[in-house]
């Protein structure tokens, strides 16, 4: 049986449990709903490792353990950008599951300026060796580039929620000959 605290009332030994949580016989107020939109720096991990000493996104937010904040989705260690934290668990599934079709956008700084054909090939989809499905962005747009030395280019790449893993973006850009120098998630 599942209980929805917004609609259901639960009693234990005659005491109402709902707006409060009972831990070890002590009653305490449930935390207020809290949402944090955070810029995750490169090198910070999202999911805490028990006994780990690495910096996590939760360590960047004051009161995150008191409010029982959880990350909505993930970003790998080498990707910076937007991450959402909340204590409203009911929203975790709709914001992360591919069936809800929430896309993501990334800003990738790549080596060299891609030609129009390369952008077209990337937009049609790239299937790396060992992958069953192509990595296919919903959009690819050149934002800026080093027009003098042609050493770098900044791309905005959109993905559907089923293909927005940073490692896939890096792999696709490497295959078309433009390795990623930095990757930042800019929108969910």
């Amino acid at each position: 049986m599942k209980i929805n605290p917004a609609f259901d009332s639960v009693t234990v030994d005659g005491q109402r449990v709902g707006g409060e949580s009972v831990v070890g016989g002590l009653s305490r107020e449930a935390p207020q709903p809290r949402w944090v939109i955070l810029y995750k720096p490169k090198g910070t991990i999202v999911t805490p490792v028990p006994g780990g000493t690495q910096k996590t996104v939760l360590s960047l937010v004051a009161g995150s353990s008191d409010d029982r904040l959880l990350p909505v989705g993930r970003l790998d260690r080498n990707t910076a950008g937007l991450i959402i934290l909340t204590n409203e668990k009911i929203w975790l599934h709709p914001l992360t599951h591919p069936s809800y079709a929430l896309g993501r956008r990334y800003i990738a700084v790549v080596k060299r300026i891609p030609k129009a054909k390369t952008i077209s090939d990337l937009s049609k989809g790239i299937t790396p060796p060992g992958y069953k499905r192509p990595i296919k962005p919903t959009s690819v747009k050149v934002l800026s580039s080093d027009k003098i030395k042609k050493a770098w280019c900044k791309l905005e790449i959109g993905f559907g929620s089923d293909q927005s893993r940073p490692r896939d973006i890096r792999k696709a850009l490497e295959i078309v000959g433009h390795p990623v120098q930095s990757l930042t998630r800019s929108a969910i």
Side-chain angles (χ1 to χ4, degrees), residues 108-119 121-122 140 142 150-155 157 168-183:
V109 176
V110 298
K111 288 187 179 181
R112 297 177 301 285
I113 301 172
K115 295 179 180 171
K117 183 181 181 335
T118 304
I119 299 287
D121 290 347
L122 189 59
V140 180
V142 175
K150 300 186 189 297
W152 60 268
C153 180
K154 188 183 282 189
L155 302 172
I157 304 171
D168 292 343
I169 298 165
R170 285 188 174 86
K171 182 65 115 179
L173 289 165
E174 185 178 323
I175 287 172
V176 297
H178 297 278
V180 173
Q181 293 179 319
S182 73
L183 186 64

Side-chain angles (χ1 to χ4, degrees), residues 143-162:
L143 297 177
S144 62
S145 62
D146 176 3
K147 294 188 183 355
I148 297 169
K149 295 180 183 177
K150 300 186 189 297
W152 60 268
C153 180
K154 188 183 282 189
L155 302 172
E156 180 182 73
I157 304 171
F159 279 89
S161 61
D162 61 332

Side-chain angles (χ1 to χ4, degrees), residues 4 27 36-37 47-48 52 56 61 73 76-77 79 85 88 95 103 120 122 127 134 148-149 159 169 174-175:
N4 184 339
S27 166
V36 176
I37 298 173
T47 308
T56 69
V61 179
D76 65 22
R77 179 191 327 257
T79 304
L85 305 170
E88 293 192 87
L95 289 174
S120 174
L122 189 59
T127 306
I148 297 169
K149 295 180 183 177
F159 279 89
I169 298 165
E174 185 178 323
I175 287 172

Side-chain angles (χ1 to χ4, degrees), residues 103-106 136-141 156-160 163:
R104 279 110 169 98
R105 267 196 321 265
Y106 294 84
K136 188 173 187 226
T138 55
S139 64
V140 180
K141 183 168 115 179
E156 180 182 73
I157 304 171
F159 279 89
Q163 288 193 334

